[in-house]
PDB file of all heavy atoms in Angstrom:
ATOM      1  N   VAL R  73       0.985  11.088   5.162  1.00 97.00           N
ATOM      2  CA  VAL R  73       1.033   9.724   5.704  1.00 97.00           C
ATOM      3  C   VAL R  73       2.045   8.888   4.930  1.00 97.00           C
ATOM      4  O   VAL R  73       2.846   8.154   5.526  1.00 97.00           O
ATOM      5  CB  VAL R  73      -0.365   9.078   5.694  1.00 97.00           C
ATOM      6  CG1 VAL R  73      -0.292   7.579   5.922  1.00 97.00           C
ATOM      7  CG2 VAL R  73      -1.262   9.731   6.732  1.00 97.00           C
ATOM      8  N   MET R  74       2.044   8.992   3.602  1.00 95.00           N
ATOM      9  CA  MET R  74       2.999   8.220   2.804  1.00 95.00           C
ATOM     10  C   MET R  74       4.442   8.620   3.131  1.00 95.00           C
ATOM     11  O   MET R  74       5.325   7.768   3.230  1.00 95.00           O
ATOM     12  CB  MET R  74       2.713   8.391   1.309  1.00 95.00           C
ATOM     13  CG  MET R  74       1.479   7.653   0.841  1.00 95.00           C
ATOM     14  SD  MET R  74       1.556   5.860   1.059  1.00 95.00           S
ATOM     15  CE  MET R  74       2.761   5.436  -0.181  1.00 95.00           C
ATOM     16  N   ARG R  75       4.676   9.907   3.311  1.00 94.00           N
ATOM     17  CA  ARG R  75       6.017  10.360   3.694  1.00 94.00           C
ATOM     18  C   ARG R  75       6.409   9.799   5.058  1.00 94.00           C
ATOM     19  O   ARG R  75       7.541   9.372   5.265  1.00 94.00           O
ATOM     20  CB  ARG R  75       6.084  11.874   3.696  1.00 94.00           C
ATOM     21  CG  ARG R  75       6.127  12.460   2.310  1.00 94.00           C
ATOM     22  CD  ARG R  75       6.222  13.967   2.336  1.00 94.00           C
ATOM     23  NE  ARG R  75       6.435  14.466   0.991  1.00 94.00           N
ATOM     24  CZ  ARG R  75       6.136  15.676   0.607  1.00 94.00           C
ATOM     25  NH1 ARG R  75       5.613  16.554   1.454  1.00 94.00           N
ATOM     26  NH2 ARG R  75       6.359  16.062  -0.642  1.00 94.00           N
ATOM     27  N   ALA R  76       5.476   9.806   5.991  1.00 95.00           N
ATOM     28  CA  ALA R  76       5.749   9.277   7.333  1.00 95.00           C
ATOM     29  C   ALA R  76       6.027   7.777   7.277  1.00 95.00           C
ATOM     30  O   ALA R  76       6.939   7.286   7.960  1.00 95.00           O
ATOM     31  CB  ALA R  76       4.573   9.575   8.259  1.00 95.00           C
ATOM     32  N   LEU R  77       5.279   7.041   6.461  1.00 95.00           N
ATOM     33  CA  LEU R  77       5.508   5.605   6.327  1.00 95.00           C
ATOM     34  C   LEU R  77       6.874   5.325   5.709  1.00 95.00           C
ATOM     35  O   LEU R  77       7.585   4.406   6.135  1.00 95.00           O
ATOM     36  CB  LEU R  77       4.399   4.959   5.499  1.00 95.00           C
ATOM     37  CG  LEU R  77       3.004   4.957   6.121  1.00 95.00           C
ATOM     38  CD1 LEU R  77       2.007   4.292   5.187  1.00 95.00           C
ATOM     39  CD2 LEU R  77       3.007   4.287   7.477  1.00 95.00           C
ATOM     40  N   ALA R  78       7.253   6.116   4.710  1.00 93.00           N
ATOM     41  CA  ALA R  78       8.577   5.955   4.103  1.00 93.00           C
ATOM     42  C   ALA R  78       9.667   6.192   5.142  1.00 93.00           C
ATOM     43  O   ALA R  78      10.659   5.455   5.203  1.00 93.00           O
ATOM     44  CB  ALA R  78       8.741   6.909   2.926  1.00 93.00           C
ATOM     45  N   GLN R  79       9.477   7.193   5.982  1.00 94.00           N
ATOM     46  CA  GLN R  79      10.454   7.485   7.036  1.00 94.00           C
ATOM     47  C   GLN R  79      10.514   6.353   8.056  1.00 94.00           C
ATOM     48  O   GLN R  79      11.601   5.941   8.470  1.00 94.00           O
ATOM     49  CB  GLN R  79      10.115   8.811   7.730  1.00 94.00           C
ATOM     50  CG  GLN R  79      11.160   9.265   8.704  1.00 94.00           C
ATOM     51  CD  GLN R  79      12.520   9.512   8.040  1.00 94.00           C
ATOM     52  OE1 GLN R  79      12.589  10.015   6.916  1.00 94.00           O
ATOM     53  NE2 GLN R  79      13.579   9.142   8.715  1.00 94.00           N
ATOM     54  N   GLU R  80       9.357   5.825   8.455  1.00 94.00           N
ATOM     55  CA  GLU R  80       9.324   4.686   9.380  1.00 94.00           C
ATOM     56  C   GLU R  80      10.076   3.494   8.793  1.00 94.00           C
ATOM     57  O   GLU R  80      10.804   2.810   9.507  1.00 94.00           O
ATOM     58  CB  GLU R  80       7.886   4.256   9.662  1.00 94.00           C
ATOM     59  CG  GLU R  80       7.135   5.116  10.625  1.00 94.00           C
ATOM     60  CD  GLU R  80       5.712   4.601  10.844  1.00 94.00           C
ATOM     61  OE1 GLU R  80       5.450   3.381  10.683  1.00 94.00           O
ATOM     62  OE2 GLU R  80       4.849   5.419  11.179  1.00 94.00           O
ATOM     63  N   ALA R  81       9.875   3.242   7.511  1.00 94.00           N
ATOM     64  CA  ALA R  81      10.552   2.118   6.862  1.00 94.00           C
ATOM     65  C   ALA R  81      12.061   2.324   6.888  1.00 94.00           C
ATOM     66  O   ALA R  81      12.822   1.400   7.187  1.00 94.00           O
ATOM     67  CB  ALA R  81      10.050   1.965   5.428  1.00 94.00           C
ATOM     68  N   LYS R  82      12.504   3.525   6.587  1.00 92.00           N
ATOM     69  CA  LYS R  82      13.944   3.816   6.575  1.00 92.00           C
ATOM     70  C   LYS R  82      14.558   3.738   7.970  1.00 92.00           C
ATOM     71  O   LYS R  82      15.733   3.442   8.116  1.00 92.00           O
ATOM     72  CB  LYS R  82      14.190   5.185   5.956  1.00 92.00           C
ATOM     73  CG  LYS R  82      13.926   5.197   4.469  1.00 92.00           C
ATOM     74  CD  LYS R  82      14.087   6.568   3.874  1.00 92.00           C
ATOM     75  CE  LYS R  82      13.734   6.535   2.388  1.00 92.00           C
ATOM     76  NZ  LYS R  82      13.752   7.851   1.788  1.00 92.00           N
ATOM     77  N   GLU R  83      13.741   4.001   8.998  1.00 93.00           N
ATOM     78  CA  GLU R  83      14.230   3.932  10.378  1.00 93.00           C
ATOM     79  C   GLU R  83      14.211   2.512  10.925  1.00 93.00           C
ATOM     80  O   GLU R  83      14.676   2.279  12.040  1.00 93.00           O
ATOM     81  CB  GLU R  83      13.405   4.864  11.275  1.00 93.00           C
ATOM     82  CG  GLU R  83      13.643   6.332  10.963  1.00 93.00           C
ATOM     83  CD  GLU R  83      12.685   7.256  11.680  1.00 93.00           C
ATOM     84  OE1 GLU R  83      11.770   6.776  12.407  1.00 93.00           O
ATOM     85  OE2 GLU R  83      12.833   8.482  11.498  1.00 93.00           O
ATOM     86  N   GLY R  84      13.651   1.562  10.170  1.00 88.00           N
ATOM     87  CA  GLY R  84      13.695   0.155  10.561  1.00 88.00           C
ATOM     88  C   GLY R  84      12.587  -0.304  11.479  1.00 88.00           C
ATOM     89  O   GLY R  84      12.764  -1.267  12.216  1.00 88.00           O
ATOM     90  N   ASP R  85      11.435   0.339  11.452  1.00 79.00           N
ATOM     91  CA  ASP R  85      10.315  -0.063  12.294  1.00 79.00           C
ATOM     92  C   ASP R  85       9.557  -1.204  11.617  1.00 79.00           C
ATOM     93  O   ASP R  85       8.412  -1.067  11.207  1.00 79.00           O
ATOM     94  CB  ASP R  85       9.396   1.147  12.530  1.00 79.00           C
ATOM     95  CG  ASP R  85       8.394   0.893  13.639  1.00 79.00           C
ATOM     96  OD1 ASP R  85       8.347  -0.230  14.168  1.00 79.00           O
ATOM     97  OD2 ASP R  85       7.645   1.831  13.965  1.00 79.00           O
ATOM     98  N   PHE R  86      10.222  -2.365  11.513  1.00 86.00           N
ATOM     99  CA  PHE R  86       9.679  -3.489  10.749  1.00 86.00           C
ATOM    100  C   PHE R  86       8.441  -4.103  11.376  1.00 86.00           C
ATOM    101  O   PHE R  86       7.533  -4.521  10.666  1.00 86.00           O
ATOM    102  CB  PHE R  86      10.734  -4.584  10.589  1.00 86.00           C
ATOM    103  CG  PHE R  86      12.011  -4.090   9.997  1.00 86.00           C
ATOM    104  CD1 PHE R  86      13.176  -4.112  10.737  1.00 86.00           C
ATOM    105  CD2 PHE R  86      12.054  -3.596   8.713  1.00 86.00           C
ATOM    106  CE1 PHE R  86      14.362  -3.654  10.199  1.00 86.00           C
ATOM    107  CE2 PHE R  86      13.230  -3.124   8.168  1.00 86.00           C
ATOM    108  CZ  PHE R  86      14.388  -3.156   8.915  1.00 86.00           C
ATOM    109  N   GLU R  87       8.385  -4.204  12.692  1.00 86.00           N
ATOM    110  CA  GLU R  87       7.273  -4.885  13.350  1.00 86.00           C
ATOM    111  C   GLU R  87       5.926  -4.236  13.043  1.00 86.00           C
ATOM    112  O   GLU R  87       4.941  -4.928  12.813  1.00 86.00           O
ATOM    113  CB  GLU R  87       7.494  -4.959  14.858  1.00 86.00           C
ATOM    114  CG  GLU R  87       8.552  -5.966  15.257  1.00 86.00           C
ATOM    115  CD  GLU R  87       8.280  -7.362  14.715  1.00 86.00           C
ATOM    116  OE1 GLU R  87       7.176  -7.891  14.917  1.00 86.00           O
ATOM    117  OE2 GLU R  87       9.191  -7.927  14.077  1.00 86.00           O
ATOM    118  N   ARG R  88       5.880  -2.919  13.053  1.00 88.00           N
ATOM    119  CA  ARG R  88       4.611  -2.242  12.733  1.00 88.00           C
ATOM    120  C   ARG R  88       4.164  -2.563  11.323  1.00 88.00           C
ATOM    121  O   ARG R  88       2.976  -2.675  11.039  1.00 88.00           O
ATOM    122  CB  ARG R  88       4.743  -0.735  12.906  1.00 88.00           C
ATOM    123  CG  ARG R  88       4.712  -0.329  14.365  1.00 88.00           C
ATOM    124  CD  ARG R  88       4.681   1.151  14.519  1.00 88.00           C
ATOM    125  NE  ARG R  88       3.338   1.653  14.204  1.00 88.00           N
ATOM    126  CZ  ARG R  88       3.040   2.930  14.146  1.00 88.00           C
ATOM    127  NH1 ARG R  88       3.960   3.833  14.372  1.00 88.00           N
ATOM    128  NH2 ARG R  88       1.827   3.337  13.867  1.00 88.00           N
ATOM    129  N   PHE R  89       5.127  -2.701  10.412  1.00 93.00           N
ATOM    130  CA  PHE R  89       4.787  -3.032   9.025  1.00 93.00           C
ATOM    131  C   PHE R  89       4.396  -4.491   8.888  1.00 93.00           C
ATOM    132  O   PHE R  89       3.409  -4.823   8.242  1.00 93.00           O
ATOM    133  CB  PHE R  89       5.954  -2.708   8.092  1.00 93.00           C
ATOM    134  CG  PHE R  89       6.109  -1.243   7.824  1.00 93.00           C
ATOM    135  CD1 PHE R  89       7.044  -0.498   8.521  1.00 93.00           C
ATOM    136  CD2 PHE R  89       5.317  -0.599   6.897  1.00 93.00           C
ATOM    137  CE1 PHE R  89       7.196   0.858   8.286  1.00 93.00           C
ATOM    138  CE2 PHE R  89       5.450   0.760   6.648  1.00 93.00           C
ATOM    139  CZ  PHE R  89       6.391   1.482   7.345  1.00 93.00           C
TER     140      PHE R  89
END
Side-chain angles (χ1 to χ4, degrees):
V73 166
M74 287 299 289
R75 285 181 173 157
L77 293 180
Q79 187 61 38
E80 283 180 27
K82 289 176 183 175
E83 291 171 357
D85 193 356
F86 306 115
E87 287 305 308
R88 283 187 76 186
F89 284 99

